[in-house]
Amino acid sequence: MSYISIQEVLLPKSNVDYTKWSVIACDQFTSQNEYWEKLEKIVGKEYSSLNLIFPEVYLNKIDNEKKVEDINNSMIQYLNDDIFDSYNNFIYLEREIAPGVIRKGLVIAIDLEAYNYAPNAKCPIRATEKTVKERLPIRIQIRKDAKLELPHICLFMDDVNDDILSSLAKNKDNMKKLYDFNLNMEGGRIQGFLVEDSKGVQQKLDSLLNKDLLRQKYGSDEELLFVVGDGNHSLATAKECWELIKKGLTDKEIENHPARYALCELQNIHDEAIKFEPIHRFMEYADYSFINYLKNNLNGDGEIKIYFNGKYETIAVPSDPTLAIAKIQKAIDDYMEQDTSVEIDYIHGDEYLIDIVNKKGGVGVFMPRVEKKSLFDYVCHNGVMPRKSFSIGHAESKRYYLEAHKVR
């Protein structure tokens, strides 16, 4: 049995402007309205995935129900306008995230029956960070009646010798090129290629579950195929929506229903282009009493930087990054229970954190960097990391919405 599926993938036809179609993940630039306002001007009235997503910068700041209704109507309109070409294949892609730096990926579908976001789940596809269940209801509201999914989910595989994606890269000149364009808003360039032998690639991916290989890598032969690199909450939402849908299905319908499968981009954690970056905390409305609280409740032989009122300070924390993140987040949570006026946002990039603090006040907390080489082993033996422990690259290099998949 394979936990990977070859599902129908939709891509806009060649007459659609791909640079306007493809936009960055909805959970980016959540404190920077100006990013999304500029993007809206670039897109204008053209076909765009921007009309099919809910940028989180606007959550609870506009009429959520009206926005969700508009998204669903846009999906129906786009399908009726017949703007998509359909492929029943994997798609190999290369993303130039910086000059000469290419990140390889493979668009596949995974079986949600093989995934569980519970902290200590022993299943083939696992979460890497703690899921905040309070963040799921609005996402479920957005997805539950949607005709399409446009994923920004990225999964990691542990292909030590990089055999699978590198073999596709070597053969790309013999593959049909599906797209090649510049991403808007400084997102770099992206190319996509049709994988004709998707079955063969699927078999190679399945072989990562060889028991001898698993024991060699993790000292255990329990099934561990993929872990979530980005989009933990999006994949958890897909799982919850599938659980709701399948309640009304027969066993035969459950086997083949498209909502059982979630589209995602698979990356190899050993790809040198993949860099783990910290996700910083912006504590809006916090003042120096918050900094004192951290100083009094954290300790260790490592340190982090705090930015407040144009100046930096350091605070002692454990030297182990994962332990430090857990301790910092607990201190933040405890403080926010005492001072309910303080709000938190999660910021990608040092410069963005500094810019937001300078504009809005509050306190910026620079978080430690997790080492990617330890991720699979950690998840195998310890379960999930604290929430928002790491990011794949800086904000501009996050996944852009591009491919779509019918879920109804």
Side-chain angles (χ1 to χ4, degrees):
M1 175 185 177
S2 180
Y3 304 120
I4 306 152
S5 180
I6 302 168
Q7 292 283 305
E8 180 186 37
V9 178
L10 302 179
L11 280 172
K13 293 182 176 179
S14 58
N15 61 334
V16 174
D17 185 336
Y18 269 54
T19 296
K20 293 182 178 180
W21 167 262
S22 189
V23 304
I24 205 163
C26 65
D27 59 350
Q28 298 303 300
F29 300 103
T30 51
S31 291
Q32 290 135 297
N33 294 56
E34 62 272 16
Y35 177 95
W36 295 98
E37 291 166 0
K38 182 177 179 180
L39 180 58
E40 287 170 6
K41 291 179 181 177
I42 290 172
V43 167
K45 297 186 180 300
E46 301 289 326
Y47 290 117
S48 176
S49 58
L50 181 60
N51 299 317
L52 309 181
I53 66 166
F54 199 148
E56 293 186 8
V57 68
Y58 300 129
L59 281 177
N60 301 316
K61 296 176 184 175
I62 60 175
D63 186 334
N64 285 1
E65 289 189 10
K66 177 64 166 58
K67 178 62 176 175
V68 172
E69 182 181 347
D70 289 344
I71 289 170
N72 289 334
N73 288 337
S74 293
M75 289 182 178
I76 293 169
Q77 178 196 334
Y78 285 13
L79 289 167
N80 289 341
D81 289 351
D82 192 28
I83 72 163
F84 296 109
D85 285 327
S86 173
Y87 303 92
N88 279 88
N89 303 80
F90 296 154
I91 296 172
Y92 169 69
L93 63 90
E94 292 186 346
R95 170 90 176 270
E96 186 175 27
I97 53 177
V101 180
I102 306 296
R103 188 174 69 204
K104 302 188 291 291
L106 185 69
V107 177
I108 65 170
I110 60 162
D111 185 349
L112 289 168
E113 292 291 322
Y115 159 76
N116 192 321
Y117 60 81
N120 294 298
K122 299 295 185 181
C123 52
I125 303 169
R126 305 183 195 179
T128 48
E129 68 173 25
K130 183 180 179 181
T131 299
V132 183
K133 291 189 176 181
E134 293 78 12
R135 297 183 65 194
L136 297 184
I138 181 59
R139 290 163 175 77
I140 293 170
Q141 180 186 350
I142 294 166
R143 185 184 175 99
K144 68 182 179 66
D145 295 318
K147 298 288 185 183
L148 301 171
E149 67 167 2
L150 286 91
H152 69 259
I153 300 160
C154 293
L155 299 182
F156 286 141
M157 60 178 160
D158 188 7
D159 184 12
V160 178
N161 297 317
D162 196 24
D163 294 324
I164 298 169
L165 294 184
S166 287
S167 65
L168 290 170
K170 291 173 184 175
N171 192 46
K172 69 180 182 180
D173 291 342
N174 299 318
M175 301 161 71
K176 178 181 178 181
K177 185 180 285 189
L178 297 173
Y179 52 78
D180 183 355
F181 65 100
N182 289 319
L183 294 160
N184 57 49
M185 302 294 285
E186 302 180 12
R189 191 167 186 85
I190 191 167
Q191 299 181 81
F193 304 86
L194 190 71
V195 180
E196 294 285 1
D197 184 22
S198 293
K199 278 285 186 186
V201 175
Q202 182 186 32
Q203 290 170 0
K204 289 183 179 180
L205 294 171
D206 291 338
S207 71
L208 294 173
L209 286 176
N210 176 278
K211 290 189 179 296
D212 290 337
L213 181 62
L214 290 170
R215 280 192 290 267
Q216 178 184 334
K217 289 194 289 190
Y218 315 124
S220 167
D221 62 6
E222 66 180 40
E223 290 189 323
L224 177 55
L225 180 60
F226 304 142
V227 301
V228 182
D230 198 11
N232 271 285
H233 286 85
S234 292
L235 192 55
T237 300
K239 175 74 169 182
E240 289 298 322
C241 287
W242 167 237
E243 292 297 326
L244 291 172
I245 289 169
K246 77 177 186 180
K247 288 178 181 177
L249 302 179
T250 65
D251 289 346
K252 187 171 184 180
E253 289 171 331
I254 286 173
E255 286 182 18
N256 300 307
H257 197 286
R260 174 173 174 163
Y261 303 95
L263 208 63
C264 58
E265 180 183 333
L266 178 64
Q267 301 169 356
N268 184 18
I269 199 166
H270 300 285
D271 187 337
E272 292 184 1
I274 293 175
K275 307 293 184 185
F276 275 19
E277 299 291 343
I279 303 177
H280 303 312
R281 275 52 168 170
F282 169 50
M283 309 304 297
E284 192 167 9
Y285 309 118
D287 55 23
Y288 203 83
S289 63
F290 168 70
I291 298 174
N292 279 332
Y293 184 88
L294 294 185
K295 288 181 176 180
N296 292 330
N297 287 274
L298 294 170
N299 58 75
D301 52 0
E303 64 179 27
I304 58 167
K305 289 192 300 183
I306 301 290
Y307 186 67
F308 173 71
N309 202 22
K311 297 179 181 179
Y312 295 94
E313 294 196 32
T314 59
I315 292 179
V317 297
S319 57
D320 177 82
T322 305
L323 180 58
I325 292 167
K327 296 288 187 182
I328 297 164
Q329 189 61 54
K330 185 179 186 309
I332 289 173
D333 292 342
D334 290 346
Y335 183 85
M336 291 180 68
E337 286 186 5
Q338 299 176 23
D339 187 346
T340 56
S341 68
V342 173
E343 297 180 6
I344 187 171
D345 197 4
Y346 301 93
I347 305 299
H348 302 260
D350 295 8
E351 68 280 10
Y352 290 119
L353 182 63
I354 295 167
D355 182 60
I356 290 167
V357 173
N358 286 338
K359 287 179 179 177
K360 295 188 174 184
V363 178
V365 182
F366 291 86
M367 299 294 282
R369 184 193 306 270
V370 172
E371 293 296 328
K372 70 175 187 176
K373 64 183 180 181
S374 64
L375 182 63
F376 269 82
D377 192 69
Y378 184 94
V379 171
C380 181
H381 297 290
N382 301 286
V384 299
M385 292 181 170
R387 69 182 184 272
K388 298 293 183 182
S389 290
F390 66 90
S391 170
I392 310 173
H394 294 295
E396 292 86 354
S397 63
K398 306 295 280 188
R399 193 179 201 279
Y400 276 56
Y401 299 105
L402 181 48
E403 297 84 4
H405 170 232
K406 288 181 185 177
V407 289
R408 281 174 182 77

